[in-house]
Amino acid sequence: MTLEAATTPDGADVYVDRADAEKGSNGPFYVVYLSEERDRRWGYFCSNCETFDNAMDTMGRIVCNVCGNVRKPEEWDAAHE
């Protein structure tokens, strides 16, 4: 499968892999790479609002800073609630 070339708001060329996704509350987050070789991950692309403006916390939760799309954390600790 080919990657989709894209440009970040700061002008960086990146590649969105629409075959590699993480489930979000409003749509998937697609993995973004710095090269077509997929040797370095850059971040995530929110499919709900089509932005690169996302954040990940230490527990693996991904949150879109634009639309609020959320991926639940990989690790769960009730003490953090």
Side-chain angles (χ1 to χ4, degrees):
M1 171 138 199
T2 60
L3 300 175
E4 178 181 312
T7 304
T8 66
D10 63 354
D13 292 327
V14 294
Y15 299 87
V16 178
D17 186 350
R18 293 200 181 255
D20 190 357
E22 301 286 345
K23 183 178 179 183
S25 58
N26 298 321
F29 289 96
Y30 295 112
V31 176
V32 179
Y33 294 95
L34 287 173
S35 71
E36 290 182 277
E37 289 74 35
R38 298 180 178 131
D39 53 354
R40 284 187 50 203
R41 279 189 179 202
W42 181 83
Y44 290 93
F45 178 78
C46 176
S47 68
N48 187 55
C49 66
E50 300 194 348
T51 186
F52 295 103
D53 188 4
N54 303 292
M56 179 184 277
D57 66 16
T58 58
M59 291 179 35
R61 178 184 297 115
I62 304 169
V63 178
C64 177
N65 295 319
V66 176
C67 71
N69 189 15
V70 177
R71 175 189 167 234
K72 292 183 179 181
E74 292 174 352
E75 300 177 21
W76 181 256
D77 183 352
H80 289 116
E81 286 300 308

